Amino acid sequence: MAAGARLLDLVPLLEADCRVQVVVTVPHEGQAWHGLEEFVRASGILAMPWQQAVHHDWDLVLTASHRHIDQVHGKVLVLPHGAGAARSRTLSRKGGAVRPTTGLDRDLLTYRGRLIPSVLALSHHAELDILRQTCPEAEAVAVIAGDICLDRMMQSLRFRDQYRAALGLEDGQQLVTVSSTWSTDSTFGTHTGLYTRLLDEIAQRETVGPSGDRVAAVIHPAVWAAHGRWQVRSWLAPARRAGLLLVPPDAGWRAVMIASDVVVGDHGSTTAYAAAIGRPVCLAAVPHDVLRPNSIADTLAGRAPRLDHSQPLLPQLRDAVHCAAEVSSAISSRMGYAADELRAAMYRLLELDLPPWPPHTAPVPLPRPSEWR
């Protein structure tokens, strides 16, 4: 679902062009991921069964995942599904194995000696240096395009009031958002009680004077997909009954970050994006021993304060820091250019002239947090 969400940033660059038909397909193993079928249906894009898609010759294949892409026939454009093409973690745990990885390794980018991408979209020029070491044959197809998700968020900052209104926030109310990636060393994996503790402290403070402050939760799509929506909601049922705004993975996490007054997070992409757009950030979980030096997460970890979970939480949020310049420049070295760069790459692979109109970058959609019921 994380890969699908990133593709939904990309396909609008093809809109209004009657020469192009867009189709979506999901690898057959992906059908087992909870909520994915509904996510694809909600996109409104014509869906094709995987078994049929792998027997078709495509003019262009767009993917934000390396899974099974070697089975699809056509010119392939690969882009990251999170912040940066180079992973912040130094180890991969796919298939239960623990091995070194950068996210730009030869085993991800080639199949039986064949280079898979026709275009490899990178977010930052530093990733090109990594690529030269890990898969030098891919340098010829690399394009430093920037980050289309971050660009959309930056252009959506002016709609902050509308996003806050959609969350039911009024003037003077503060929104604390707890952001979590997946894995056992994430915020959700290590401090599940953090949500209830924040809400309890807000409730205790309101015995002195009402504030109406709220807490929202943004949890990585892999957690929802692996455990199911019912289970995630069940684990957070006490916090939801106390007023937690739980944001489903397809329901506007970016707008929630824009609406936030402070973000408590970890080494995941959502926390980095929050910092990059200027939200004050502090960290609830940071696995220092597995972060790649000078990565996006390492950059954020070097600047944002850590929560002391043995102490009251709300007073510590005053120490949250602004580090937008450092984190945004670590995510993208082509700020504001991703739509132009990616559209040009797509049309080059399609062997079509660029449309005469400029690409449209739509604001991120309104948030739709799930209500307690």
Side-chain angles (χ1 to χ4, degrees):
M1 193 177 293
R6 185 53 52 95
L7 292 180
L8 292 184
D9 284 333
L10 191 61
V11 293
L13 302 179
L14 298 167
E15 68 181 10
D17 193 333
C18 296
R19 300 171 296 176
V20 178
Q21 165 72 54
V22 176
V23 175
V24 64
T25 189
V26 179
H28 49 84
E29 289 87 351
Q31 299 294 346
W33 288 93
H34 180 83
L36 189 56
E37 184 177 348
E38 294 87 345
F39 174 79
V40 170
R41 188 184 305 116
S43 74
I45 302 174
L46 181 67
M48 178 178 287
W50 177 255
Q51 293 81 358
Q52 182 179 350
V54 296
H55 291 292
H56 191 82
D57 290 324
W58 300 96
D59 298 296
L60 175 61
V61 179
L62 305 174
T63 181
S65 170
H66 297 285
R67 293 177 182 270
H68 311 292
I69 198 60
D70 58 277
Q71 300 175 33
V72 185
H73 306 293
K75 298 175 184 176
V76 179
L77 187 156
V78 179
L79 76 161
H81 65 262
R87 294 191 180 120
S88 287
R89 301 183 68 101
T90 58
L91 299 174
S92 171
R93 290 170 297 178
K94 286 185 178 179
V98 178
R99 58 183 177 81
T101 184
T102 65
L104 295 170
D105 305 308
R106 181 177 281 110
D107 64 339
L108 292 175
L109 300 176
T110 64
Y111 179 72
R112 294 182 177 178
R114 173 178 65 88
L115 187 65
I116 295 172
S118 298
V119 167
L120 176 62
L122 304 180
S123 304
H124 201 283
H125 63 77
E127 295 168 346
L128 193 59
D129 296 332
I130 297 173
L131 188 66
R132 291 187 181 114
Q133 300 175 31
T134 58
C135 189
E137 59 267 42
E139 181 181 358
V141 301
V143 172
I144 302 173
D147 188 298
I148 194 166
C149 175
L150 180 56
D151 286 354
R152 283 191 73 188
M153 292 180 75
M154 293 295 290
Q155 292 192 33
S156 302
L157 288 174
R158 64 186 186 276
F159 299 108
R160 173 175 158 84
D161 289 344
Q162 288 92 318
Y163 297 144
R164 288 177 61 83
L167 292 168
L169 295 165
E170 299 178 355
D171 291 344
Q173 290 182 312
Q174 300 286 299
L175 175 62
V176 179
T177 295
V178 181
S179 170
S180 180
T181 186
W182 64 281
S183 76
T184 55
D185 52 17
S186 67
T187 302
F188 189 70
T190 56
H191 302 290
T192 312
L194 178 63
Y195 311 90
T196 303
R197 282 192 62 195
L198 284 167
L199 289 160
D200 286 346
E201 289 190 24
I202 289 174
Q204 291 170 11
R205 187 179 62 187
E206 289 184 342
T207 60
V208 179
S211 68
D213 292 349
R214 304 297 302 273
V215 178
V218 171
I219 300 173
H220 194 282
V223 178
W224 294 86
H227 299 287
R229 294 198 178 207
W230 182 91
Q231 188 63 72
V232 175
R233 288 176 174 143
S234 174
W235 283 331
L236 292 174
R240 293 177 62 216
R241 283 193 290 266
L244 178 71
L245 298 169
L246 179 58
V247 184
D250 54 349
W253 68 266
R254 291 176 292 194
V256 173
M257 294 303 180
I258 293 170
S260 300
D261 295 285
V262 62
V263 173
V264 179
D266 54 23
H267 54 289
S269 292
T270 50
T271 310
Y273 282 127
I277 63 169
R279 300 307 95 184
V281 171
C282 58
L283 299 177
V286 187
H288 287 287
D289 55 329
V290 299
L291 295 186
R292 181 172 55 82
N294 300 316
S295 64
I296 295 168
D298 186 57
T299 299
L300 180 58
R303 287 155 179 80
R306 282 65 160 174
L307 279 184
D308 182 346
H309 294 273
S310 68
Q311 300 295 320
L313 300 172
L314 291 182
Q316 297 181 65
L317 300 188
R318 303 190 194 103
D319 297 327
V321 298
H322 293 85
C323 47
E326 298 94 331
V327 178
S328 63
S329 61
I331 293 176
S332 172
S333 56
R334 295 282 290 160
M335 287 285 292
Y337 288 94
D340 291 312
E341 295 289 349
L342 291 169
R343 189 171 78 146
M346 287 193 290
Y347 275 92
R348 174 163 56 83
L349 295 182
L350 285 167
E351 299 182 10
L352 292 175
D353 292 334
L354 279 169
W357 55 85
H360 174 63
T361 303
V364 300
L366 292 170
R368 302 188 311 278
S370 61
E371 297 294 336
W372 171 255
R373 58 182 181 272

